[in-house]
Amino acid sequence: MYKINENYLKLQGSYLFSNIAKKVALFKEANPDKDVISLGIGDVTQPLAPAVIKALHKAVDEMAQAETFRGYAPDLGYEFLRSAIRDNDYKARGVDIDLDEIFISDGAKSDSGNIGDIFAENNRIAVCDPVYPVYVDTNVMAGRTGEYIAEKESWSNVIYMPCTKGNNFAPQIPKETPDIIYLCFPNNPTGSTITKSQLQEWVDYANKVGAVIIYDAAYEAYISEENVPHSIYECDGAKTCAIELRSFSKNAGFTGTRLGFTVVPKELESNGTKLNALWARRHGTKFNGAPYIIQRAGEAVYSEDGKAQTKQQVAYYMNNAKIIIEGLKSAGFSVSGGVNAPYVWLETPEGMTSWDFFDYLLNNANIVGTPGSGFGPSGEGYFRLTAFGTHENTLKAIDRIKAL
Amino acid sequence: MYKINENYLKLQGSYLFSNIAKKVALFKEANPDKDVISLGIGDVTQPLAPAVIKALHKAVDEMAQAETFRGYAPDLGYEFLRSAIRDNDYKARGVDIDLDEIFISDGAKSDSGNIGDIFAENNRIAVCDPVYPVYVDTNVMAGRTGEYIAEKESWSNVIYMPCTKGNNFAPQIPKETPDIIYLCFPNNPTGSTITKSQLQEWVDYANKVGAVIIYDAAYEAYISEENVPHSIYECDGAKTCAIELRSFSKNAGFTGTRLGFTVVPKELESNGTKLNALWARRHGTKFNGAPYIIQRAGEAVYSEDGKAQTKQQVAYYMNNAKIIIEGLKSAGFSVSGGVNAPYVWLETPEGMTSWDFFDYLLNNANIVGTPGSGFGPSGEGYFRLTAFGTHENTLKAIDRIKAL
């Protein structure tokens, strides 16, 4: 008789955003006349940039002719895309990354879940609290998290690094030593980030204790301040301790187009085994590449037109962030984030839990946000609004909140 | 100190097709003047069908306008595609599959590797021998296969079901009882298949012993004979024991476009846990959907034009298969497959191993095929040629083989 992976039975409830979607669907069903605005899930609203559209059409036309048709892609992804990444995301920032250290994928969510495959079950993970749920849930599935302790809303074998107002939403080196450290900066959900010297401390620590950092830089395009690193490899020694995840979802609006990549430096070794070789094997065996036409779309993001156009998109969303921050402040809320990230993190009004505030906002202002507690126990009392709505909806939403 | 997944260190050499690619690259480098024809990897050569191209362009245009732009897809995939699948692949064959039993993915390779996630490590797998390497390698990674026994070219904890000329390339119920049974019909690599009544025996067996069948039907579009099942759910009782994997790679030439799906019936339960719920959780947590434009391309495969055009593509390749079979037979080879599948399986000339014959063909006829032993020990002495080349190259290749 076959046996299921019982770790799945430990998973708590459903995935956060599925829960929210269900609540919203019920509300809309009961209130078909209400104009619900979502500043909840981190999904973009701006169409793909013209340069990307042009590249997509061109690639589609190539697929229509036998001479230019493309079948299976190279295991790591097409070189035209990996070169563009190497040159623009790394070389331009003074970082040398080799082409065979870049693995093209269908997005950072898949990569952040799948990267666990190359590690043993008996690694202890450390995560920020609050945290993007995928890091924890995929480790629950892999059996690394121990048991769920309901009263603490946390897992017995996970090291939580609280990020709260008290530490300016920056995690501190934990007392217990982790094996795998998940860091995401600019941060989802808090919208905060850390400086290069702060990140250097993490790199030094990881190298010292033999930990590996999974560095999620999905939001790097939103960085507006000078001393904030765009890549962990800007720090000395990061190549011997860090894997970096990148996404096209937020810098170029690819949430429904699906493209990302992971960098695994060849210097990253465990007892002589290169993690690059392990990930190459995983990538080549359990994945078959992102579609050719989507890889061409990714290449176009790095064209001169593409860079200018996607920069405008980012500016559009960051203007929304500014509107949200200023609006909330003037309405008396305590807010953070939104300067180097498309997320604004606000404290719920006194006495309200995150889910109370979710219901309150949905029922009274018809606005969907994300309860901070959905991201971890230290998220309780906080609430996330995203800047990914349209300008018009963002203005309308803030007016409604001010009027509450 | 973090620990790697040491199962990866057990993996034998590199992935078969990577090995072949390296050998071919070396040959081409040394012989730049030679016209190498590949009938090796199962990659298609015909461009995407006009109906698919039209749908792609239309979807790209939608992504260019805010009003029609699409972000994150629904977890299971868009309903327009799942409906088309339900109606065309199942209802039309008298099989009732619910929409929430269909999970859209980026392809059957990913699914066949990832499906293992929902099962415990201590399941014993059974595979046909020869077999598509991904089934075995992904189970090696998951720690299910025991140790590699070099002299047997096999894994200590895997149940092998030899498929040779002796049993007409149809696996027989194994003596030892497996927990998870991988079946692929029409078969890769042998090109053989089994009848509906033969498959019914497997379904009955799996239900009797409590095994789950992972049924890979990636090549069903190539079935030309009446009594061969297109879906395992054509068999009574399959919904309580089988997961079916499907692909758009071979029926519609999507090898570089990436689309597939997996069916997990809600009746499939282990001690009250629905595997459908487990896979839904995995799918929603470690994957973020196939691109919208690709899902629209998939939908177009089921349009009237799409069906007619892709049927033509399949006929084109099956004509190649016929050319290969007849040519090889007239050259004195013993061949099988190629009637319900795009693969022709031939016996190597006496005394030659599969890799000997690979080198012989590459060096003397400049043709790339796939050594049977790369698919498992019972593949030794066999060789796979695929019908996915162009008509012209297929003719040329067969002429060269005849001239040897």
Side-chain angles (χ1 to χ4, degrees), chain A residues 1-5 8-9 11-15 18 41-48 53 56-57 60-61 63-66 69-72 75 106 109-110 113-114 117-120 122-123 134 137-138 141 179 209-212 250 253 255-258 268-270 273 275 278 281-282 284-294, chain B residues 1-5 8-9 11-15 18 41-48 53 56-57 60-61 63-66 69-72 75 106 109-110 113-114 117-120 122-123 134 137-138 141 179 209-212 250 253 255-258 268-270 273 275 278 281-282 284-294:
Chain A
M1 177 76 198
Y2 69 90
K3 279 79 66 181
I4 61 162
N5 178 349
Y8 274 64
L9 305 181
L11 286 162
Q12 297 304 302
S14 194
Y15 184 65
S18 311
I41 191 166
D43 201 356
V44 297
T45 50
Q46 291 296 293
L48 295 180
I53 293 293
L56 282 166
H57 278 306
V60 169
D61 284 334
M63 296 297 278
Q65 305 296 330
F69 173 80
R70 307 281 186 129
Y72 291 120
D75 266 8
D106 63 325
K109 184 177 174 187
S110 305
N114 291 333
D117 280 19
I118 64 170
F119 295 103
N122 64 340
N123 283 291
V134 169
D137 286 356
T138 57
M141 292 170 172
D179 301 306
V209 301
V212 64
K250 308 301 163 74
T255 52
T257 304
R258 312 304 315 139
L268 188 54
E269 288 188 3
S270 167
T273 301
L275 270 60
L278 298 183
R281 195 65 193 259
R282 200 261 169 222
T285 306
K286 297 180 83 169
F287 182 63
N288 222 342
Y292 170 71
I293 58 179
I294 306 295
Chain B
M1 179 76 199
Y2 69 89
K3 279 80 66 180
I4 60 161
N5 178 350
Y8 275 63
L9 304 181
L11 285 162
Q12 296 304 301
S14 193
Y15 184 64
S18 311
I41 191 166
D43 201 356
V44 297
T45 49
Q46 292 295 293
L48 294 180
I53 293 292
L56 281 166
H57 278 306
V60 169
D61 284 334
M63 296 298 276
Q65 305 297 329
F69 173 80
R70 307 281 186 129
Y72 292 119
D75 267 8
D106 62 325
K109 183 177 174 190
S110 305
N114 292 333
D117 280 19
I118 64 170
F119 296 104
N122 64 338
N123 283 291
V134 169
D137 286 355
T138 56
M141 291 170 173
D179 301 306
V209 301
V212 64
K250 308 303 162 73
T255 52
T257 304
R258 312 305 313 140
L268 188 54
E269 287 189 3
S270 166
T273 300
L275 270 59
L278 298 183
R281 194 64 192 261
R282 200 263 169 219
T285 307
K286 295 180 84 169
F287 182 63
N288 221 342
Y292 170 71
I293 58 179
I294 307 296

Side-chain angles (χ1 to χ4, degrees), chain A residues 334-357:
Chain A
S334 174
V335 296
S336 58
V339 176
N340 295 299
Y343 296 124
V344 176
W345 193 239
L346 62 102
E347 291 178 56
T348 55
E350 214 169 316
M352 270 195 190
T353 67
S354 297
W355 278 108
D356 283 348
F357 190 67

Side-chain angles (χ1 to χ4, degrees), chain B residues 327-350:
Chain B
L328 289 175
K329 276 186 182 163
S330 80
F333 284 92
S334 174
V335 296
S336 58
V339 176
N340 295 297
Y343 295 123
V344 176
W345 193 239
L346 62 101
E347 291 178 56
T348 56
E350 216 167 315

Side-chain angles (χ1 to χ4, degrees), chain A residues 195-210:
Chain A
T195 63
K196 190 170 161 183
S197 61
Q198 282 177 302
L199 185 57
Q200 184 66 56
E201 285 174 36
W202 282 97
V203 168
D204 293 342
Y205 170 74
N207 277 320
K208 194 180 85 184
V209 301

Side-chain angles (χ1 to χ4, degrees), chain B residues 39 321-336 344-347 357 361 383-385 397-399 401-402 404:
Chain B
L39 303 180
K322 203 176 159 200
I323 291 165
I324 297 171
I325 289 175
E326 290 176 359
L328 289 175
K329 276 186 182 163
S330 80
F333 284 92
S334 174
V335 296
S336 58
V344 176
W345 193 239
L346 62 101
E347 291 178 56
F357 190 67
L361 259 198
F383 199 78
R384 190 189 77 173
L385 292 177
I398 293 305
D399 282 346
I401 292 177
K402 281 185 186 168
L404 280 175

